[in-house]
Amino acid sequence: MVYRESEETVDVLFLSRLQFALTIMFHYLFPPLTIGLGIILVYLKWKHIRTDEAIYDAAARFWTKIFGLNFALGVVTGIVMEFEFGTNWAVYSRFVGDVFGSALAAEGIFAFFLESGFLSLLLFGWDRVGKWTHFFATLMVAIGGIFSSVWITVANSWQQTPAGHVIRDHVINGHTFQRAEIVDFWAVVFNPSSVHRLIHVWIGAFILGAFFVMSISAWYLLHKKHIEFAKRSFTGALMLATVSSLAQLVSGHFQADTVAEHQPAKLAAMEGVYHSTNGAESYIFGWPDDETETVKYSLGIPGGLSMLISGDPDSHVMGLNDLEETWGRPPVWLTFQAFHLMVGIGMLFIVSTLYASFLHWRGTLFETRWLLWYFVFAVILAFVANEVGWVSAEVGRQPWIVYPTIVDGEPVGGLRTSEALSEVVRASQVLTSIIFFGMIYSLLFVLWIMLLHQKIKQGPDWPPSGKESKEESVLRRKESLA
């Protein structure tokens, strides 16, 4: 293989990683939101069929408009990353092509076609098809989004904990390259981390969708608009958010166990463990310092980390000093802060949703204005939690883009990020693309905010054409007078 000069390689490596990070983080604003909203749409359609209350139909129509907007932005921003694989990361593409080709083909066949095929019926089938047909279309769109996350997460999890493959040499243009080839497809799908990571991704999407609905509903309640619609939407979303927040705590524990077993250097970076020790503490917050190899300004729970990963507060935890030679050292500060920010937001969500559920049970939730204002802005934290969760996962696996397996104490079969770059792309080219991507994505973000604001300002059409109960008529009149 032909390599550039070391300084140029470092520049291209940093810029290429930055480019992919910016594009994928912008893209990831939308897929978890559409997954979460898809589940909510299924619930609303089912409630309308069960109760025949017009307000559920109005709610489903309103949130479908929001869903369609986010779906469109997700598709547009997702296409870019596939091109980046072939431009910036050509060596990586050759290495993982057989594995990723299978996973992405499965996503296209079983997920994207299903989701996009029924999307038109969901968006434009109102009053044109029967209610059960429209419900089926809604269900298929929601399942399609979930299936899409399955194959993307499987492909990514394989990079973290590879399985079901062999490494073979291939000669291309006189150069020998290694390539991972599948020998057991189901071992690839059910690699050691895929199930736990997939559940974690799903729950994060459910939380984001629920907080998104609660944000808009709380805004309506605070401004005394669409009151009954907002109360119904907020209540259903609060139930989903409460259950999902608690479930995410359990999911995160199993995820941490998997990381501890298969990626000990990532765990050490997440928790700032520079030196191997017995009874490792779990930090609530802190500031890792690579020079002194300590976590400054920290508050920790003595023996907490040992307890979490083994059940014994005095158990031994490997530190980066003993892991670095075999696994390399991830960027500790960013991994640590991203992980702890995700955990902190998750704990805040548990407390706030439980408290809101208690107030709802007491009948005082919708009169507690400060809490409603919290939920208006808490959706930003839900977006942040999803983003930094991926940051901790992806930065924490460095310097490997595909993690190795250990054979006789040596890493085998992995691919280092610095060796995954294209041989021909230059730093100036990557920098130029970052600038143009930044401009285009900024415009897309402004457009998304403007269209979202427009749809929220228009609000739900309640009651829609169709049946309206006597109770709903009374509520609507009261709301119009208010």
Side-chain angles (χ1 to χ4, degrees), residues 20 163 225 388:
F20 195 79
K225 295 181 178 180
V388 296

Side-chain angles (χ1 to χ4, degrees), residues 90-273:
V91 177
Y92 161 80
S93 296
R94 284 193 289 264
F95 186 88
V96 303
D98 191 56
V99 178
F100 265 47
S102 301
L104 295 181
E107 189 221 356
I109 296 172
F110 298 112
F112 187 74
F113 288 166
L114 177 66
E115 188 177 21
S116 58
F118 282 97
L119 181 65
S120 58
L121 192 58
L122 168 62
L123 295 177
F124 307 112
W126 300 95
D127 306 319
R128 292 182 174 86
V129 297
K131 60 183 180 181
W132 282 107
T133 302
H134 200 262
F135 173 78
F136 181 76
T138 307
L139 182 63
M140 290 300 101
V141 169
I143 292 175
I146 291 174
F147 276 0
S148 182
S149 67
V150 169
W151 297 108
I152 296 300
T153 306
V154 163
N156 183 272
S157 297
W158 180 86
Q159 294 178 137
Q160 310 277 346
T161 53
H165 70 287
V166 295
I167 304 296
R168 292 195 174 100
D169 290 336
H170 285 257
V171 179
I172 302 176
N173 296 329
H175 299 286
T176 301
F177 295 91
Q178 289 189 323
R179 184 169 184 255
E181 296 184 358
I182 295 176
V183 294
D184 186 343
F185 176 76
W186 293 112
V188 171
V189 172
F190 294 103
N191 65 75
S193 66
S194 62
V195 174
H196 292 312
R197 287 166 58 82
L198 183 59
I199 293 173
H200 207 65
V201 167
W202 283 346
I203 297 174
F206 299 159
I207 291 173
L208 177 57
F211 271 85
F212 187 83
V213 170
M214 288 192 294
S215 174
I216 297 174
S217 301
W219 177 263
Y220 285 148
L221 290 168
L222 288 164
H223 291 80
K224 300 186 184 304
K225 295 181 178 180
H226 317 297
I227 295 173
E228 187 61 22
F229 161 84
K231 286 182 178 180
R232 299 282 187 100
S233 295
F234 192 100
T235 301
L238 176 60
M239 180 176 62
L240 176 61
T242 305
V243 173
S244 298
S245 296
L246 291 169
Q248 194 70 305
L249 182 64
V250 179
S251 171
H253 172 69
F254 286 112
Q255 179 98 331
D257 287 345
T258 303
V259 172
E261 180 180 356
H262 296 280
Q263 297 177 296
K266 178 192 286 190
L267 178 70
M270 284 178 169
E271 292 288 0
V273 183

Side-chain angles (χ1 to χ4, degrees), residues 276-408:
S276 300
T277 182
N278 295 326
E281 64 181 317
S282 178
Y283 293 105
I284 298 174
F285 60 82
W287 191 272
D289 186 342
D290 287 340
E291 291 187 5
T292 61
E293 295 192 335
T294 58
V295 180
K296 297 181 176 179
Y297 320 114
S298 63
L299 175 63
I301 302 172
L305 179 59
S306 296
M307 183 69 183
L308 285 173
I309 62 177
S310 68
D312 180 2
D314 296 319
S315 64
H316 187 74
V317 175
M318 297 286 285
L320 290 169
N321 62 322
D322 289 328
L323 295 167
E324 184 173 5
E325 183 177 352
T326 300
W327 298 97
R329 176 177 291 198
V332 179
W333 186 90
L334 182 55
T335 305
F336 179 96
Q337 301 297 0
F339 172 71
H340 283 79
L341 181 57
M342 175 190 67
V343 173
I345 293 173
M347 297 306 296
L348 175 63
F349 284 172
I350 290 174
V351 173
S352 61
T353 54
L354 285 175
Y355 181 61
S357 298
F358 171 73
L359 292 183
H360 185 267
W361 175 72
R362 291 282 300 271
T364 59
L365 171 61
F366 300 124
E367 286 73 46
T368 311
R369 292 182 62 84
W370 70 265
L371 188 59
L372 292 178
W373 276 115
Y374 158 78
F375 280 111
V376 168
F377 295 103
V379 65
I380 299 174
L381 296 178
F383 277 114
V384 171
N386 275 273
E387 296 284 358
V388 296
W390 278 104
V391 169
S392 63
E394 298 305 292
V395 176
R397 69 179 156 125
Q398 298 304 318
W400 304 94
I401 195 169
V402 178
Y403 230 67
T405 55
I406 297 300
V407 178
D408 297 329

